[in-house]
């Protein structure tokens, strides 16, 4: 019997943290909760050392200062990812299953944080923690691509072999409504499509890929992989066209040759590799609108996401660290409002009202001028769940 479960997959490393929210359809009847579930790991060996083999840019004379910097970055990314999970749990309609890929030294931190949440919140999800794993013969090269953990997502079809379909997101994502409507895009896949993403840009004049990329990319402006739907059953079975051989290659056969060919020409790591793959296989990709992956690029020079202007922002993507600096205070205000919210409190008076007050202080920025778009869908979501929010533990 098939069981349909939403899953949250996070990818963490010691210095840099990149999270993936995975909402998945599993094709087995029992799910392991807790523990490391080593049988699902592509390479069960622990990756030795947090950043061993990486260049220490601070130099050998300042190890303590460097270690303190690493610890600050670790704490910031851990908090960011927990806030992302919090936003998903707040609005979820059905049960979540969390799969956390992390360096071993972070496992305890996740357990402590998640198990400290109130019981009525914990009842909304289960979780399993895994070690980070790459194909053993190329593990070091994959780990250092862009961010140490970012390329882990490329191997999810090979690691989660029993999972049919997933939605994953980066750790700097905030859900402003239930993920159910995002999952509904799977029903729009035709017989060929196996993934879905939003365009990298709506406006070609300020887009990155068509102006600067030194490799093939999808469509007019490329795609952004911060929010991605994957039918992994199809990904495991399809032969992908490519510019390296005259025959199609399976997913596991394609990745390493692609990296070897383009590693000197890519800037954004695994996202660039995905753009190359779907440049040659455009029929395999479904595009969804920009309000499902709304980034500072959509408002920094004025509003350029028409779908968000009509319907509001559904998913906020705070890339470039904007949750943690003052460059985009509107994005930071939303992050801080969700981070500080106490489970069980009234969602409107304790989250939405103070957020709207803070957003009024950001109207000196272009993104702040669009603050109505940022709260339109959030207000609707909060109104729907507020009446059913339990009080206390």
């Amino acid at each position: 019997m098939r069981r349909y479960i939403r899953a949250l997959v996070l990818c963490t490393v010691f210095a840099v943290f990149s999270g993936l929210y995975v909402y998945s359809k599993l094709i087995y009847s029992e799910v392991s909760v807790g523990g490391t579930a080593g049988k699902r790991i592509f390479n069960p060996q622990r990756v030795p050392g947090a950043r061993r083999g990486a260049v220490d840019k601070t130099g050998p004379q300042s190890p303590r200062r460097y270690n303190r910097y690493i610890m600050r970055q670790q704490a910031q990314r851990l908090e960011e990812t927990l806030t992302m999970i919090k936003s998903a749990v707040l609005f979820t309609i059905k049960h979540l299953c969390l799969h956390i890929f992390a360096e071993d030294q972070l496992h305890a931190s996740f357990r402590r944080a998640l198990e400290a949440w109130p019981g009525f919140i914990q009842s909304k999800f289960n979780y399993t923690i895994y070690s980070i794993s790459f194909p053993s013969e190329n593990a070091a090269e994959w780990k250092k691509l862009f961010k140490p953990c970012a390329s882990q997502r490329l191997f999810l079809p090979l690691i989660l072999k029993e999972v049919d379909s997933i939605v994953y997101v980066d750790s700097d994502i905030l859900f402003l409504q239930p993920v159910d409507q995002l999952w509904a895009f799977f029903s729009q896949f035709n017989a060929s499509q196996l993934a879905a993403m939003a365009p990298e840009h709506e406006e070609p004049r300020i887009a990155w890929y068509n102006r600067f990329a030194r490799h093939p990319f999808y469509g007019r402006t490329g795609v952004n992989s911060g929010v991605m739907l994957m039918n992994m059953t199809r990904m495991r079975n399809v032969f992908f066209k490519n510019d390296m051989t005259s025959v199609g290659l399976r997913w596991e056969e394609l990745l390493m040759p692609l990296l070897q060919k383009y590693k000197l020409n890519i800037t954004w790591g695994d996202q660039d590799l995905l753009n190359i793959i779907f440049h040659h296989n455009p029929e395999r990709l479904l595009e969804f609108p920009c309000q499902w992956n709304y980034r500072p690029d959509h408002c920094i020079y004025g509003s350029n996401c028409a779908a968000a202007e009509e319907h509001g922002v559904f998913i906020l993507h705070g890339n470039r660290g904007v949750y943690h600096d003052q460059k985009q205070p509107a994005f930071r205000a939303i992050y801080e409002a969700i981070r500080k919210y106490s489970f069980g409190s009234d969602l409107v008076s304790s989250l939405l009202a103070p957020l709207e007050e803070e957003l009024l202080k950001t109207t000196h920025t272009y993104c702040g001028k669009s603050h109505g778009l940022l709260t339109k869908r959030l207000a609707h979501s909060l109104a729907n769940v507020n009446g059913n929010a339990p009080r206390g533990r």
Side-chain angles (χ1 to χ4, degrees):
M1 180 181 69
R2 292 193 174 206
R3 172 180 293 181
Y4 297 91
I5 299 178
R6 292 113 189 261
L8 182 61
V9 173
L10 307 174
C11 179
T12 68
V13 297
F14 182 72
V16 182
F17 196 107
S18 177
L20 310 175
Y21 177 91
V22 177
Y23 172 25
S24 69
K25 179 172 59 179
L26 306 186
I27 58 174
Y28 54 97
S29 60
E30 296 296 329
V31 179
S32 173
V33 178
T36 58
K39 66 180 181 179
R40 297 185 189 173
I41 297 176
F42 185 84
N43 173 12
Q45 298 298 319
R46 174 183 172 181
V47 179
R51 283 179 58 83
R52 192 169 300 170
V55 177
D56 183 348
K57 296 182 179 180
T58 63
Q61 297 180 349
S62 55
R64 292 182 180 178
R65 183 174 61 188
Y66 182 59
N67 288 339
R68 286 197 296 270
Y69 170 78
I70 293 295
M71 292 174 67
R72 286 197 301 271
Q73 293 298 306
Q74 173 188 344
Q76 184 180 86
R77 294 300 189 182
L78 177 64
E79 179 183 80
E80 178 180 277
T81 304
L82 288 169
T83 303
M84 182 270 288
I85 300 174
K86 188 177 185 180
S87 72
V89 171
L90 278 174
F91 304 125
T92 189
I93 296 173
K94 296 186 179 179
H95 192 78
L96 299 176
C97 180
L98 315 185
H99 294 269
I100 301 173
F101 289 78
E103 293 278 7
D104 289 1
Q105 60 265 38
L106 289 182
H107 291 193
S109 296
F110 268 105
R111 289 193 179 95
R112 284 194 299 268
L114 295 174
E115 292 174 10
W117 287 358
F120 71 90
I121 293 297
Q122 291 191 47
S123 67
K124 293 185 174 185
F125 66 90
N126 299 323
Y127 71 92
T128 305
I129 301 180
Y130 309 82
S131 296
I132 294 173
S133 56
F134 297 102
S136 57
E137 64 272 19
N138 306 113
E141 190 161 8
W142 283 113
K143 186 176 180 181
K144 67 184 180 182
L145 179 66
F146 187 49
K147 295 179 180 179
C149 181
S151 59
Q152 179 79 91
R153 74 190 66 186
L154 296 175
F155 297 95
L156 291 179
L158 311 180
I159 298 171
L160 302 175
K161 295 181 179 180
E162 296 178 307
V163 179
D164 175 57
S165 298
I166 63 170
V167 174
Y168 77 73
V169 302
D170 290 341
S171 64
D172 51 10
I173 289 295
L174 291 173
F175 290 92
L176 304 184
Q177 69 162 26
V179 74
D180 301 67
Q181 292 183 26
L182 180 62
W183 181 260
F185 279 110
F186 279 115
S187 66
Q188 299 182 25
F189 280 22
N190 61 30
S192 298
Q193 291 166 335
L194 47 76
M197 288 180 276
E200 172 72 10
H201 283 279
E202 302 298 306
E203 174 51 66
R205 289 175 297 178
I206 60 173
W208 194 90
Y209 279 107
N210 58 292
R211 293 190 298 156
F212 304 116
R214 297 181 294 157
H215 57 78
F217 56 89
Y218 175 86
R220 289 195 310 156
T221 62
V223 286
N224 184 282
S225 62
V227 180
M228 182 178 180
L229 284 71
M230 301 165 63
N231 183 318
M232 298 198 299
T233 297
R234 292 184 180 182
M235 293 177 72
R236 287 185 286 261
N237 294 329
V238 162
F239 288 89
F240 292 86
K241 299 188 295 290
N242 60 88
D243 59 0
M244 298 171 293
T245 69
S246 59
V247 298
L249 297 176
R250 291 191 182 274
W251 188 259
E252 66 269 24
E253 301 169 330
L254 178 64
L255 296 176
M256 195 61 205
L258 202 64
L259 177 61
Q260 292 298 327
K261 178 172 182 176
Y262 288 105
K263 62 182 177 181
L264 298 180
N265 295 324
I266 60 177
T267 302
W268 309 114
D270 61 312
Q271 178 174 290
D272 289 347
L273 296 181
L274 289 168
N275 265 279
I276 297 169
I277 291 171
F278 290 110
H279 169 84
H280 295 292
N281 300 270
E283 74 283 1
R284 302 294 181 186
L285 186 68
L286 173 73
E287 284 189 41
F288 51 74
C290 50
Q291 80 264 36
W292 292 99
N293 186 356
Y294 190 90
R295 297 172 290 117
D297 304 83
H298 292 118
C299 55
I300 192 171
Y301 303 116
S303 180
N304 61 79
C305 176
E309 291 178 6
E310 182 177 357
H311 303 291
V313 175
F314 293 178
I315 293 178
L316 196 71
H317 186 177
N319 63 335
R320 301 175 184 163
V322 296
Y323 296 150
H324 312 292
D325 58 32
Q326 298 299 328
K327 294 179 180 179
Q328 295 298 333
F331 279 68
R332 180 167 182 165
I334 297 175
Y335 172 81
E336 288 295 324
I338 295 175
R339 184 183 69 84
K340 294 177 180 178
Y341 170 74
S342 297
F343 287 120
S345 302
D346 182 85
L347 285 161
V348 175
S349 62
S350 298
L351 197 162
L352 183 61
L355 169 60
E356 290 178 330
E357 184 177 345
E358 287 299 314
L359 285 173
L360 290 176
K361 303 174 183 178
T362 71
T363 55
H364 61 286
T365 67
Y366 279 114
C367 290
K369 287 181 173 68
S370 300
H371 64 86
L373 307 183
L374 301 177
T375 57
K376 182 176 182 179
R377 195 65 189 181
L378 176 63
H380 182 269
S381 299
L382 295 179
N384 284 344
V385 303
N386 191 49
N388 298 321
R391 302 297 190 266
R393 296 185 71 89

